[in-house]
Amino acid sequence: MLSDTETLIERIDSPRAFFSLADEMFVERGTIDDWYLLHDLHYKAEKLPIGPRFWRLVLAGQTIGVLVTGTPKGMLRERHIVFPNLKPRSGDTRLTNTNRYHYINANFRVISRFVIDTMFRGIGAGYRMMNLVSRMEGNTFMEIQSSMSKFNAFGQKAGFKFVKPMNANKYDQVLRFFRSHFAASPQDFEAILAEIAAKPPAEQQRLAEICTDFYFRNSALENTSNGGAAMEQRRASMSLRDAVKGIQQIGLASPMYGIWKCPDPKGSVPERLALTQFDRQGPSERLRL
């Protein structure tokens, strides 16, 4: 004989998925060895920013994520939109320009490289780590320039506010340059290199010199903080691939600029945080330890 049974159904409002190992993940200081461990998974694996600091995400002692911060650029068009008082003016002197750089270096850092092991992507580790590292850095502002932010909202989830995307300053000049020297599309890196490789050696050398000259004349990075005698050394050693890539970067790249202001008093953030600490307060609220 069957007895009556009672079925209980629980319905959770706004349910959220949770990765069971997240409680065992921690964010802490790393080293360049952590970057070398995972850097092949990053599309800019060959270079590091000026003044790098390394942070890692660990699980059971194993590095599963690396974030590299760097020294911010002295001049940035999108930053001047958010901070108009930092924009250079006609009456600026050497003293005001110097003090501007001092202020930026003392109060800003920039997220330069960020990679999560492929085994742990899609669980929300990226934006959580980005937010916690931005707090642990101890600066007032954290910047990010990321083309991926157009397609993946990890920066927005971490609390960053973004400026409307804009074409690069050299967009028109770079398009004219490529179209005047190559039949390949200006955006197609490999097609441009293949077109050059199909030409006689003398013509290849001529195009290499033209590309290198155009890059160094138009690169704001090369003509500001990286100028001087060292620039001539870099020019002499620059490969054709790097020259073409550099030209595309200064003219065709349009990364979104994001900014985040730290709500925590300097010196109050621990040197090691559980990844789940992100969920105990809003992205722009003070830590609730």
Side-chain angles (χ1 to χ4, degrees):
M1 181 176 179
L2 297 176
S3 61
D4 293 337
T5 59
E6 182 181 5
T7 301
L8 298 177
I9 299 175
E10 181 182 8
R11 189 176 301 277
I12 302 174
D13 294 331
S14 302
R16 293 178 62 188
F18 181 75
F19 187 64
S20 59
L21 294 177
D23 283 330
E24 302 174 39
M25 297 179 181
F26 292 86
V27 180
E28 62 186 23
R29 282 276 189 179
T31 68
I32 195 171
D33 291 330
D34 296 301
W35 168 248
Y36 288 147
L37 182 66
L38 297 176
H39 82 291
D40 286 335
L41 300 175
H42 197 282
Y43 72 104
K44 288 185 178 179
E46 71 279 4
K47 291 183 179 180
L48 283 171
I50 298 173
R53 294 178 190 158
F54 303 92
W55 300 86
R56 66 176 188 162
L57 180 65
V58 294
L59 172 64
Q62 299 295 314
T63 299
I64 61 172
V66 178
L67 191 152
V68 185
T69 67
T71 301
K73 296 177 182 177
M75 296 291 180
L76 198 57
R77 176 181 54 172
E78 291 82 357
R79 183 195 296 139
H80 296 155
I81 295 175
V82 182
F83 302 96
N85 289 336
L86 291 178
K87 184 177 181 179
R89 292 173 172 79
S90 58
D92 282 356
T93 64
R94 181 174 181 179
L95 177 62
T96 57
N97 288 330
T98 300
N99 285 335
R100 179 185 297 110
Y101 276 80
H102 285 320
Y103 178 83
I104 291 172
N105 288 334
N107 292 278
F108 288 76
R109 290 288 289 176
V110 59
I111 293 174
S112 181
R113 305 285 186 270
F114 190 20
V115 59
I116 298 290
D117 191 311
T118 53
M119 290 288 290
F120 299 96
R121 294 180 182 178
I123 63 171
Y127 66 84
R128 287 178 169 87
M129 182 182 181
M130 183 187 300
N131 180 271
L132 296 180
V133 167
S134 298
R135 298 173 184 269
M136 298 165 78
E137 270 284 353
N139 288 77
T140 305
F141 299 103
M142 182 66 80
E143 296 180 323
I144 184 172
Q145 279 192 288
S146 168
S147 297
M148 285 301 296
S149 294
K150 299 176 184 176
F151 315 105
N152 190 322
F154 61 91
Q156 291 86 338
K157 290 179 180 178
F160 283 72
K161 305 297 183 183
F162 286 84
V163 173
K164 182 180 178 180
M166 296 180 287
N167 285 333
N169 288 332
K170 299 288 184 177
Y171 178 77
D172 292 331
Q173 295 95 312
V174 166
L175 284 184
R176 286 196 296 268
F177 172 80
F178 279 123
R179 287 169 177 165
S180 63
H181 294 285
F182 305 102
S185 170
Q187 292 88 355
D188 196 332
F189 176 70
E190 295 298 338
I192 292 173
L193 292 180
E195 184 177 334
I196 296 174
K199 297 183 181 296
E203 181 65 9
Q204 291 183 33
Q205 181 62 33
R206 186 184 74 86
L207 288 173
E209 293 175 357
I210 290 174
C211 289
T212 302
D213 180 66
F214 182 88
Y215 169 74
F216 277 92
R217 280 191 291 107
N218 290 277
S219 171
L221 185 63
E222 294 291 348
N223 287 287
T224 53
S225 58
N226 288 338
M231 185 173 71
E232 294 302 321
Q233 297 176 2
R234 289 192 300 277
R235 178 171 184 147
S237 61
M238 176 168 277
S239 67
L240 175 60
R241 291 182 65 90
D242 288 341
V244 173
K245 184 185 296 183
I247 295 171
Q248 289 181 325
Q249 188 68 29
I250 62 177
L252 304 181
S254 58
M256 290 181 64
Y257 173 84
I259 187 74
W260 181 85
K261 184 177 182 180
C262 185
D264 305 302
K266 290 189 177 182
S268 67
V269 181
E271 294 183 355
R272 191 172 194 257
L273 287 172
L275 185 67
T276 52
Q277 175 65 53
F278 172 87
D279 301 298
R280 297 176 183 172
Q281 65 285 308
S284 298
E285 295 177 352
R286 185 176 297 188
L287 281 179
R288 299 172 186 166
L289 295 172

